[in-house]
Amino acid sequence: MAEDPTEQGAEAAGQELHQNPDPSLAEPYIEAAGRALSDSDWKGAEEAFAQGLTIAPRDPRLHGGLALIAIQEQDWERAIAHGRQAVALGAGGAEVHNNLGWALEQSGRGDQALAAYSTAFRSDPSRPEPIHHLLRLGLVPGSEDEPAASVVELETLLRLDLYRSLATQ
């Protein structure tokens, strides 16, 4: 018995979507999650992100959102899993890597956390969060040749970071 051509077309379209996700499919869920987060409704945001994954399972923004929810709940393993999935699916922004670094650090994986914070810094050197974490852990961002920073260097960089953030407000 031959397959129904509409089923073949739907299956092919589903495979195409799975390989090349249409970002617009996730938009309503991301917007709903954003509204929930603005109302401090973490559970509602989690539900919206999770529903979005049923429609667009390869959208890195949905995984990044679920990683953020897991961080808020201090569920480090789930945060790491969603953070890594977001990165694997192409989310290369500083926020995703910084959040992944935080979850890794909280779960006791310091070396992996430093790598994630360094990636966050390289993706956007103007973001203060990865700079703060790297300095706090004793690594001067951008000085790959001399990773162990002196206390004086760290204090100076922290002051410069503070001055820069005050100047841009």
Side-chain angles (χ1 to χ4, degrees), residues 52-114:
L53 281 181
T54 65
I55 303 300
R58 298 189 50 80
D59 192 302
R61 299 169 299 169
L62 296 167
H63 287 284
L66 286 170
L68 180 63
I69 299 293
I71 287 171
Q72 196 276 333
E73 295 174 351
Q74 298 183 5
D75 184 346
W76 308 123
E77 294 308 313
R78 191 165 54 107
I80 291 166
H82 281 294
R84 286 184 171 156
Q85 186 67 23
V87 169
L89 292 171
E95 184 176 3
V96 170
H97 287 284
N98 189 68
N99 289 345
L100 178 57
W102 181 252
L104 288 163
E105 183 180 349
Q106 296 308 303
S107 70
R109 301 174 199 166
D111 289 344
Q112 292 176 37
L114 277 172

Side-chain angles (χ1 to χ4, degrees), residues 129-145:
E129 302 88 357
I131 294 169
H132 169 77
H133 292 304
L134 289 168
L135 292 174
R136 182 177 53 76
L137 296 173
L139 185 72
V140 177
S143 67
E144 300 295 323
D145 53 339

